[in-house]
Amino acid sequence: MRPGAAAIRAAIVDLDGTMLDTVPDFEAALNGMRQELGLGPITQATIKPLVGKGSEKLVRDALLLDWDAARVEAAYEEAIAGYQRHYLAINGERSTLFDGVLEGLQAMRDLGLRLVCVTNKPVAFTLPLLEQKGLAPYFERVFGGDSFAKKKPDAMPMLGACAALDLPPSQVVAIGDSSNDAESARGAGCFVLTVPYGYNHGRPVQEIQSDGIVDSLLDAARLIGAHNSAAL
């Protein structure tokens, strides 16, 4: 991170592809929806690049694999209702924590950082998932894709999180796996760190304009700690 910058006082952490591998859950929910619509199953490899833009786009993209845009729109309301029903039924059952997540969150807390989760996943899916995986106690606020008028990559969710923390963006770092996270953070004026193991719409993480690539949230905590020590 930039020499001479202010100390970091908070971290905004993404969920899907950053803290949890949720593609297996998406696979179950999307294929349940597709079966009801008379479509065959799709694989995790097909689903992974589609993740990150919110449930509405995920459902549309999963149908556009087979149908034209007009047919997708005609079936959309039935499809999104089916997807949500299937997802809530299995939410978290197949998803797993990435290495270093719990250790990294604890290390950030030990540094005195305030933590917020900002995801494009709907809040109704996000809150029970965080509870189930033992992540909820680390976050003072949680914002989903339906918390603001716009989703990432728009800057609005990051600006909203900073406002909730009552901190300037220059004292906040966003941590995510995709260009969505980076563009949103950059637009808000936050630092941004990226992890290399997530989804990023099927693109190499090296293409993202960030302040650094970290192997895990624990490595992110170490980098933030070093930055804050230098900023004192």
mmCIF file of all heavy atoms in Angstrom, residues 28-71:
data_model
loop_
_atom_site.group_PDB
_atom_site.id
_atom_site.type_symbol
_atom_site.label_atom_id
_atom_site.label_comp_id
_atom_site.label_asym_id
_atom_site.label_seq_id
_atom_site.Cartn_x
_atom_site.Cartn_y
_atom_site.Cartn_z
ATOM 1 N N ALA A 28 -26.051 -26.493 -6.845
ATOM 2 C CA ALA A 28 -27.266 -27.179 -6.404
ATOM 3 C C ALA A 28 -28.508 -26.331 -6.673
ATOM 4 O O ALA A 28 -29.531 -26.830 -7.174
ATOM 5 C CB ALA A 28 -27.164 -27.520 -4.923
ATOM 6 N N ALA A 29 -28.428 -25.035 -6.357
ATOM 7 C CA ALA A 29 -29.602 -24.169 -6.507
ATOM 8 C C ALA A 29 -29.926 -23.905 -7.975
ATOM 9 O O ALA A 29 -31.097 -23.961 -8.388
ATOM 10 C CB ALA A 29 -29.368 -22.851 -5.772
ATOM 11 N N LEU A 30 -28.913 -23.628 -8.768
ATOM 12 C CA LEU A 30 -29.155 -23.356 -10.189
ATOM 13 C C LEU A 30 -29.676 -24.588 -10.916
ATOM 14 O O LEU A 30 -30.585 -24.496 -11.746
ATOM 15 C CB LEU A 30 -27.880 -22.853 -10.853
ATOM 16 C CG LEU A 30 -27.439 -21.437 -10.501
ATOM 17 C CD1 LEU A 30 -26.062 -21.155 -11.074
ATOM 18 C CD2 LEU A 30 -28.454 -20.400 -11.002
ATOM 19 N N ASN A 31 -29.116 -25.748 -10.595
ATOM 20 C CA ASN A 31 -29.577 -26.960 -11.280
ATOM 21 C C ASN A 31 -30.966 -27.378 -10.816
ATOM 22 O O ASN A 31 -31.732 -27.960 -11.594
ATOM 23 C CB ASN A 31 -28.558 -28.086 -11.100
ATOM 24 C CG ASN A 31 -27.364 -27.909 -12.018
ATOM 25 O OD1 ASN A 31 -27.469 -27.286 -13.078
ATOM 26 N ND2 ASN A 31 -26.223 -28.450 -11.624
ATOM 27 N N GLY A 32 -31.300 -27.077 -9.559
ATOM 28 C CA GLY A 32 -32.676 -27.302 -9.122
ATOM 29 C C GLY A 32 -33.647 -26.438 -9.901
ATOM 30 O O GLY A 32 -34.713 -26.897 -10.344
ATOM 31 N N MET A 33 -33.279 -25.179 -10.069
ATOM 32 C CA MET A 33 -34.093 -24.249 -10.863
ATOM 33 C C MET A 33 -34.193 -24.712 -12.308
ATOM 34 O O MET A 33 -35.281 -24.741 -12.905
ATOM 35 C CB MET A 33 -33.465 -22.860 -10.813
ATOM 36 C CG MET A 33 -34.067 -21.835 -11.746
ATOM 37 S SD MET A 33 -32.955 -20.435 -12.059
ATOM 38 C CE MET A 33 -31.787 -21.161 -13.234
ATOM 39 N N ARG A 34 -33.042 -25.081 -12.907
ATOM 40 C CA ARG A 34 -33.021 -25.478 -14.316
ATOM 41 C C ARG A 34 -33.866 -26.742 -14.546
ATOM 42 O O ARG A 34 -34.562 -26.850 -15.561
ATOM 43 C CB ARG A 34 -31.575 -25.701 -14.771
ATOM 44 C CG ARG A 34 -30.805 -24.395 -14.978
ATOM 45 C CD ARG A 34 -29.325 -24.671 -15.257
ATOM 46 N NE ARG A 34 -29.150 -25.509 -16.431
ATOM 47 C CZ ARG A 34 -29.057 -25.045 -17.687
ATOM 48 N NH1 ARG A 34 -29.121 -23.744 -17.911
ATOM 49 N NH2 ARG A 34 -28.905 -25.879 -18.694
ATOM 50 N N GLN A 35 -33.821 -27.655 -13.614
ATOM 51 C CA GLN A 35 -34.608 -28.878 -13.761
ATOM 52 C C GLN A 35 -36.106 -28.554 -13.808
ATOM 53 O O GLN A 35 -36.857 -29.126 -14.615
ATOM 54 C CB GLN A 35 -34.318 -29.837 -12.615
ATOM 55 C CG GLN A 35 -35.054 -31.171 -12.728
ATOM 56 C CD GLN A 35 -34.694 -32.120 -11.606
ATOM 57 O OE1 GLN A 35 -34.344 -31.696 -10.504
ATOM 58 N NE2 GLN A 35 -34.767 -33.408 -11.880
ATOM 59 N N GLU A 36 -36.533 -27.628 -12.960
ATOM 60 C CA GLU A 36 -37.942 -27.241 -12.944
ATOM 61 C C GLU A 36 -38.367 -26.596 -14.263
ATOM 62 O O GLU A 36 -39.539 -26.653 -14.635
ATOM 63 C CB GLU A 36 -38.205 -26.272 -11.789
ATOM 64 C CG GLU A 36 -38.115 -26.919 -10.420
ATOM 65 C CD GLU A 36 -38.347 -25.927 -9.296
ATOM 66 O OE1 GLU A 36 -38.463 -24.716 -9.569
ATOM 67 O OE2 GLU A 36 -38.412 -26.362 -8.134
ATOM 68 N N LEU A 37 -37.403 -25.993 -14.966
ATOM 69 C CA LEU A 37 -37.689 -25.336 -16.238
ATOM 70 C C LEU A 37 -37.431 -26.255 -17.435
ATOM 71 O O LEU A 37 -37.502 -25.817 -18.587
ATOM 72 C CB LEU A 37 -36.849 -24.070 -16.366
ATOM 73 C CG LEU A 37 -37.152 -22.971 -15.341
ATOM 74 C CD1 LEU A 37 -36.134 -21.851 -15.447
ATOM 75 C CD2 LEU A 37 -38.570 -22.435 -15.520
ATOM 76 N N GLY A 38 -37.109 -27.520 -17.150
ATOM 77 C CA GLY A 38 -36.907 -28.488 -18.219
ATOM 78 C C GLY A 38 -35.536 -28.451 -18.853
ATOM 79 O O GLY A 38 -35.348 -28.957 -19.965
ATOM 80 N N LEU A 39 -34.555 -27.876 -18.141
ATOM 81 C CA LEU A 39 -33.194 -27.772 -18.650
ATOM 82 C C LEU A 39 -32.267 -28.747 -17.936
ATOM 83 O O LEU A 39 -32.507 -29.111 -16.775
ATOM 84 C CB LEU A 39 -32.669 -26.343 -18.467
ATOM 85 C CG LEU A 39 -33.433 -25.255 -19.227
ATOM 86 C CD1 LEU A 39 -32.930 -23.878 -18.811
ATOM 87 C CD2 LEU A 39 -33.298 -25.453 -20.730
ATOM 88 N N GLY A 40 -31.194 -29.150 -18.608
ATOM 89 C CA GLY A 40 -30.240 -30.072 -18.024
ATOM 90 C C GLY A 40 -29.295 -29.383 -17.049
ATOM 91 O O GLY A 40 -29.219 -28.145 -16.987
ATOM 92 N N PRO A 41 -28.541 -30.147 -16.278
ATOM 93 C CA PRO A 41 -27.625 -29.583 -15.288
ATOM 94 C C PRO A 41 -26.408 -28.922 -15.935
ATOM 95 O O PRO A 41 -26.017 -29.280 -17.051
ATOM 96 C CB PRO A 41 -27.206 -30.801 -14.462
ATOM 97 C CG PRO A 41 -27.377 -31.959 -15.385
ATOM 98 C CD PRO A 41 -28.549 -31.629 -16.255
ATOM 99 N N ILE A 42 -25.835 -27.963 -15.223
ATOM 100 C CA ILE A 42 -24.579 -27.325 -15.635
ATOM 101 C C ILE A 42 -23.540 -27.581 -14.548
ATOM 102 O O ILE A 42 -23.868 -27.850 -13.390
ATOM 103 C CB ILE A 42 -24.747 -25.822 -15.901
ATOM 104 C CG1 ILE A 42 -25.388 -25.104 -14.709
ATOM 105 C CG2 ILE A 42 -25.561 -25.597 -17.158
ATOM 106 C CD1 ILE A 42 -25.531 -23.596 -14.878
ATOM 107 N N THR A 43 -22.277 -27.495 -14.917
ATOM 108 C CA THR A 43 -21.195 -27.863 -14.010
ATOM 109 C C THR A 43 -20.679 -26.658 -13.222
ATOM 110 O O THR A 43 -20.919 -25.497 -13.573
ATOM 111 C CB THR A 43 -20.020 -28.457 -14.788
ATOM 112 O OG1 THR A 43 -19.460 -27.428 -15.630
ATOM 113 C CG2 THR A 43 -20.467 -29.636 -15.645
ATOM 114 N N GLN A 44 -19.903 -26.952 -12.190
ATOM 115 C CA GLN A 44 -19.269 -25.891 -11.410
ATOM 116 C C GLN A 44 -18.316 -25.077 -12.276
ATOM 117 O O GLN A 44 -18.198 -23.857 -12.090
ATOM 118 C CB GLN A 44 -18.529 -26.482 -10.217
ATOM 119 C CG GLN A 44 -19.439 -27.066 -9.164
ATOM 120 C CD GLN A 44 -18.684 -27.507 -7.918
ATOM 121 O OE1 GLN A 44 -17.624 -26.978 -7.595
ATOM 122 N NE2 GLN A 44 -19.232 -28.491 -7.217
ATOM 123 N N ALA A 45 -17.649 -25.728 -13.213
ATOM 124 C CA ALA A 45 -16.732 -25.009 -14.099
ATOM 125 C C ALA A 45 -17.468 -23.973 -14.945
ATOM 126 O O ALA A 45 -16.937 -22.891 -15.237
ATOM 127 C CB ALA A 45 -15.994 -25.992 -15.006
ATOM 128 N N THR A 46 -18.700 -24.285 -15.337
ATOM 129 C CA THR A 46 -19.514 -23.335 -16.100
ATOM 130 C C THR A 46 -20.025 -22.217 -15.210
ATOM 131 O O THR A 46 -20.094 -21.048 -15.622
ATOM 132 C CB THR A 46 -20.707 -24.064 -16.744
ATOM 133 O OG1 THR A 46 -20.210 -25.047 -17.658
ATOM 134 C CG2 THR A 46 -21.619 -23.100 -17.480
ATOM 135 N N ILE A 47 -20.363 -22.553 -13.976
ATOM 136 C CA ILE A 47 -20.965 -21.589 -13.049
ATOM 137 C C ILE A 47 -19.945 -20.590 -12.513
ATOM 138 O O ILE A 47 -20.242 -19.395 -12.365
ATOM 139 C CB ILE A 47 -21.635 -22.342 -11.883
ATOM 140 C CG1 ILE A 47 -22.834 -23.149 -12.398
ATOM 141 C CG2 ILE A 47 -22.069 -21.373 -10.779
ATOM 142 C CD1 ILE A 47 -23.351 -24.167 -11.412
ATOM 143 N N LYS A 48 -18.744 -21.044 -12.240
ATOM 144 C CA LYS A 48 -17.753 -20.213 -11.550
ATOM 145 C C LYS A 48 -17.531 -18.849 -12.189
ATOM 146 O O LYS A 48 -17.529 -17.832 -11.491
ATOM 147 C CB LYS A 48 -16.432 -20.985 -11.442
ATOM 148 C CG LYS A 48 -15.405 -20.351 -10.521
ATOM 149 C CD LYS A 48 -14.189 -21.268 -10.353
ATOM 150 C CE LYS A 48 -13.145 -20.651 -9.438
ATOM 151 N NZ LYS A 48 -11.971 -21.541 -9.270
ATOM 152 N N PRO A 49 -17.368 -18.741 -13.521
ATOM 153 C CA PRO A 49 -17.164 -17.418 -14.113
ATOM 154 C C PRO A 49 -18.395 -16.520 -14.061
ATOM 155 O O PRO A 49 -18.287 -15.309 -14.308
ATOM 156 C CB PRO A 49 -16.797 -17.728 -15.575
ATOM 157 C CG PRO A 49 -16.434 -19.172 -15.600
ATOM 158 C CD PRO A 49 -17.235 -19.811 -14.522
ATOM 159 N N LEU A 50 -19.568 -17.087 -13.753
ATOM 160 C CA LEU A 50 -20.806 -16.315 -13.727
ATOM 161 C C LEU A 50 -21.047 -15.641 -12.380
ATOM 162 O O LEU A 50 -21.909 -14.758 -12.264
ATOM 163 C CB LEU A 50 -22.006 -17.227 -14.039
ATOM 164 C CG LEU A 50 -21.945 -18.060 -15.318
ATOM 165 C CD1 LEU A 50 -23.225 -18.883 -15.454
ATOM 166 C CD2 LEU A 50 -21.728 -17.187 -16.535
ATOM 167 N N VAL A 51 -20.294 -16.049 -11.355
ATOM 168 C CA VAL A 51 -20.537 -15.597 -9.987
ATOM 169 C C VAL A 51 -19.982 -14.188 -9.780
ATOM 170 O O VAL A 51 -18.925 -13.845 -10.291
ATOM 171 C CB VAL A 51 -19.897 -16.579 -8.986
ATOM 172 C CG1 VAL A 51 -20.019 -16.058 -7.550
ATOM 173 C CG2 VAL A 51 -20.530 -17.956 -9.118
ATOM 174 N N GLY A 52 -20.710 -13.393 -8.996
ATOM 175 C CA GLY A 52 -20.158 -12.123 -8.539
ATOM 176 C C GLY A 52 -20.958 -10.889 -8.870
ATOM 177 O O GLY A 52 -20.696 -9.821 -8.311
ATOM 178 N N LYS A 53 -21.940 -11.006 -9.751
ATOM 179 C CA LYS A 53 -22.711 -9.831 -10.163
ATOM 180 C C LYS A 53 -24.090 -9.773 -9.512
ATOM 181 O O LYS A 53 -24.913 -8.936 -9.875
ATOM 182 C CB LYS A 53 -22.881 -9.819 -11.686
ATOM 183 C CG LYS A 53 -21.573 -9.779 -12.479
ATOM 184 C CD LYS A 53 -20.902 -8.431 -12.416
ATOM 185 C CE LYS A 53 -19.741 -8.361 -13.396
ATOM 186 N NZ LYS A 53 -19.049 -7.065 -13.377
ATOM 187 N N GLY A 54 -24.356 -10.665 -8.555
ATOM 188 C CA GLY A 54 -25.661 -10.692 -7.912
ATOM 189 C C GLY A 54 -26.528 -11.828 -8.429
ATOM 190 O O GLY A 54 -26.305 -12.368 -9.516
ATOM 191 N N SER A 55 -27.535 -12.190 -7.640
ATOM 192 C CA SER A 55 -28.385 -13.335 -7.966
ATOM 193 C C SER A 55 -29.163 -13.142 -9.255
ATOM 194 O O SER A 55 -29.349 -14.094 -10.034
ATOM 195 C CB SER A 55 -29.373 -13.596 -6.822
ATOM 196 O OG SER A 55 -28.695 -13.986 -5.653
ATOM 197 N N GLU A 56 -29.641 -11.925 -9.491
ATOM 198 C CA GLU A 56 -30.458 -11.687 -10.685
ATOM 199 C C GLU A 56 -29.665 -11.978 -11.956
ATOM 200 O O GLU A 56 -30.153 -12.663 -12.863
ATOM 201 C CB GLU A 56 -30.960 -10.236 -10.699
ATOM 202 C CG GLU A 56 -31.863 -9.882 -9.529
ATOM 203 C CD GLU A 56 -31.106 -9.385 -8.313
ATOM 204 O OE1 GLU A 56 -29.853 -9.509 -8.293
ATOM 205 O OE2 GLU A 56 -31.758 -8.885 -7.388
ATOM 206 N N LYS A 57 -28.441 -11.478 -12.022
ATOM 207 C CA LYS A 57 -27.614 -11.715 -13.214
ATOM 208 C C LYS A 57 -27.188 -13.172 -13.294
ATOM 209 O O LYS A 57 -27.110 -13.749 -14.391
ATOM 210 C CB LYS A 57 -26.401 -10.795 -13.218
ATOM 211 C CG LYS A 57 -25.536 -10.952 -14.476
ATOM 212 C CD LYS A 57 -24.567 -9.829 -14.665
ATOM 213 C CE LYS A 57 -23.634 -10.066 -15.847
ATOM 214 N NZ LYS A 57 -24.336 -10.392 -17.096
ATOM 215 N N LEU A 58 -26.892 -13.786 -12.154
ATOM 216 C CA LEU A 58 -26.496 -15.190 -12.143
ATOM 217 C C LEU A 58 -27.592 -16.061 -12.744
ATOM 218 O O LEU A 58 -27.325 -16.947 -13.579
ATOM 219 C CB LEU A 58 -26.187 -15.636 -10.710
ATOM 220 C CG LEU A 58 -25.808 -17.102 -10.525
ATOM 221 C CD1 LEU A 58 -24.516 -17.430 -11.260
ATOM 222 C CD2 LEU A 58 -25.667 -17.422 -9.029
ATOM 223 N N VAL A 59 -28.825 -15.827 -12.336
ATOM 224 C CA VAL A 59 -29.948 -16.611 -12.853
ATOM 225 C C VAL A 59 -30.116 -16.374 -14.348
ATOM 226 O O VAL A 59 -30.274 -17.323 -15.134
ATOM 227 C CB VAL A 59 -31.240 -16.268 -12.080
ATOM 228 C CG1 VAL A 59 -32.468 -16.815 -12.811
ATOM 229 C CG2 VAL A 59 -31.171 -16.847 -10.672
ATOM 230 N N ARG A 60 -30.074 -15.122 -14.772
ATOM 231 C CA ARG A 60 -30.218 -14.827 -16.205
ATOM 232 C C ARG A 60 -29.100 -15.480 -17.015
ATOM 233 O O ARG A 60 -29.339 -16.086 -18.065
ATOM 234 C CB ARG A 60 -30.230 -13.314 -16.426
ATOM 235 C CG ARG A 60 -31.534 -12.635 -16.049
ATOM 236 C CD ARG A 60 -31.561 -11.191 -16.508
ATOM 237 N NE ARG A 60 -32.893 -10.619 -16.375
ATOM 238 C CZ ARG A 60 -33.315 -9.929 -15.325
ATOM 239 N NH1 ARG A 60 -32.494 -9.721 -14.296
ATOM 240 N NH2 ARG A 60 -34.545 -9.447 -15.276
ATOM 241 N N ASP A 61 -27.855 -15.357 -16.523
ATOM 242 C CA ASP A 61 -26.728 -15.923 -17.261
ATOM 243 C C ASP A 61 -26.811 -17.444 -17.342
ATOM 244 O O ASP A 61 -26.419 -18.048 -18.347
ATOM 245 C CB ASP A 61 -25.408 -15.507 -16.615
ATOM 246 C CG ASP A 61 -25.068 -14.052 -16.884
ATOM 247 O OD1 ASP A 61 -25.715 -13.434 -17.759
ATOM 248 O OD2 ASP A 61 -24.161 -13.524 -16.218
ATOM 249 N N ALA A 62 -27.321 -18.065 -16.277
ATOM 250 C CA ALA A 62 -27.456 -19.521 -16.282
ATOM 251 C C ALA A 62 -28.524 -19.984 -17.270
ATOM 252 O O ALA A 62 -28.464 -21.109 -17.765
ATOM 253 C CB ALA A 62 -27.790 -20.024 -14.880
ATOM 254 N N LEU A 63 -29.485 -19.124 -17.583
ATOM 255 C CA LEU A 63 -30.512 -19.461 -18.569
ATOM 256 C C LEU A 63 -30.088 -19.092 -19.984
ATOM 257 O O LEU A 63 -30.472 -19.756 -20.951
ATOM 258 C CB LEU A 63 -31.822 -18.755 -18.220
ATOM 259 C CG LEU A 63 -32.478 -19.177 -16.904
ATOM 260 C CD1 LEU A 63 -33.737 -18.355 -16.654
ATOM 261 C CD2 LEU A 63 -32.801 -20.666 -16.889
ATOM 262 N N LEU A 64 -29.276 -18.043 -20.097
ATOM 263 C CA LEU A 64 -28.795 -17.633 -21.413
ATOM 264 C C LEU A 64 -27.867 -18.670 -22.045
ATOM 265 O O LEU A 64 -27.582 -18.600 -23.249
ATOM 266 C CB LEU A 64 -28.074 -16.286 -21.311
ATOM 267 C CG LEU A 64 -28.977 -15.064 -21.153
ATOM 268 C CD1 LEU A 64 -28.152 -13.836 -20.778
ATOM 269 C CD2 LEU A 64 -29.775 -14.805 -22.436
ATOM 270 N N LEU A 65 -27.409 -19.624 -21.259
ATOM 271 C CA LEU A 65 -26.621 -20.719 -21.811
ATOM 272 C C LEU A 65 -27.448 -21.560 -22.782
ATOM 273 O O LEU A 65 -26.899 -22.226 -23.668
ATOM 274 C CB LEU A 65 -26.102 -21.613 -20.680
ATOM 275 C CG LEU A 65 -25.123 -20.962 -19.690
ATOM 276 C CD1 LEU A 65 -24.913 -21.874 -18.490
ATOM 277 C CD2 LEU A 65 -23.795 -20.657 -20.368
ATOM 278 N N ASP A 66 -28.787 -21.517 -22.619
ATOM 279 C CA ASP A 66 -29.667 -22.353 -23.428
ATOM 280 C C ASP A 66 -30.709 -21.568 -24.216
ATOM 281 O O ASP A 66 -31.141 -22.016 -25.289
ATOM 282 C CB ASP A 66 -30.415 -23.345 -22.523
ATOM 283 C CG ASP A 66 -29.484 -24.273 -21.771
ATOM 284 O OD1 ASP A 66 -29.039 -23.901 -20.668
ATOM 285 O OD2 ASP A 66 -29.194 -25.349 -22.292
ATOM 286 N N TRP A 67 -31.129 -20.423 -23.690
ATOM 287 C CA TRP A 67 -32.237 -19.683 -24.281
ATOM 288 C C TRP A 67 -31.792 -18.322 -24.773
ATOM 289 O O TRP A 67 -30.792 -17.772 -24.292
ATOM 290 C CB TRP A 67 -33.341 -19.495 -23.244
ATOM 291 C CG TRP A 67 -34.033 -20.753 -22.818
ATOM 292 C CD1 TRP A 67 -34.016 -21.965 -23.427
ATOM 293 C CD2 TRP A 67 -34.873 -20.893 -21.660
ATOM 294 N NE1 TRP A 67 -34.781 -22.871 -22.733
ATOM 295 C CE2 TRP A 67 -35.329 -22.247 -21.648
ATOM 296 C CE3 TRP A 67 -35.304 -20.040 -20.660
ATOM 297 C CZ2 TRP A 67 -36.179 -22.729 -20.656
ATOM 298 C CZ3 TRP A 67 -36.153 -20.512 -19.665
ATOM 299 C CH2 TRP A 67 -36.584 -21.851 -19.674
ATOM 300 N N ASP A 68 -32.583 -17.743 -25.665
ATOM 301 C CA ASP A 68 -32.305 -16.368 -26.083
ATOM 302 C C ASP A 68 -32.844 -15.398 -25.026
ATOM 303 O O ASP A 68 -33.569 -15.793 -24.101
ATOM 304 C CB ASP A 68 -32.883 -16.082 -27.465
ATOM 305 C CG ASP A 68 -34.404 -16.197 -27.548
ATOM 306 O OD1 ASP A 68 -35.096 -15.994 -26.525
ATOM 307 O OD2 ASP A 68 -34.910 -16.474 -28.641
ATOM 308 N N ALA A 69 -32.489 -14.133 -25.176
ATOM 309 C CA ALA A 69 -32.805 -13.143 -24.145
ATOM 310 C C ALA A 69 -34.308 -12.989 -23.928
ATOM 311 O O ALA A 69 -34.771 -12.833 -22.787
ATOM 312 C CB ALA A 69 -32.191 -11.793 -24.513
ATOM 313 N N ALA A 70 -35.092 -13.045 -24.991
ATOM 314 C CA ALA A 70 -36.537 -12.876 -24.856
ATOM 315 C C ALA A 70 -37.158 -14.008 -24.037
ATOM 316 O O ALA A 70 -38.012 -13.770 -23.168
ATOM 317 C CB ALA A 70 -37.182 -12.811 -26.238
ATOM 318 N N ARG A 71 -36.705 -15.226 -24.281
ATOM 319 C CA ARG A 71 -37.264 -16.354 -23.521
ATOM 320 C C ARG A 71 -36.814 -16.297 -22.060
ATOM 321 O O ARG A 71 -37.576 -16.636 -21.160
ATOM 322 C CB ARG A 71 -36.834 -17.674 -24.161
ATOM 323 C CG ARG A 71 -37.508 -18.884 -23.517
ATOM 324 C CD ARG A 71 -37.316 -20.146 -24.318
ATOM 325 N NE ARG A 71 -38.019 -21.267 -23.701
ATOM 326 C CZ ARG A 71 -37.968 -22.512 -24.137
ATOM 327 N NH1 ARG A 71 -37.258 -22.796 -25.227
ATOM 328 N NH2 ARG A 71 -38.617 -23.473 -23.515
#
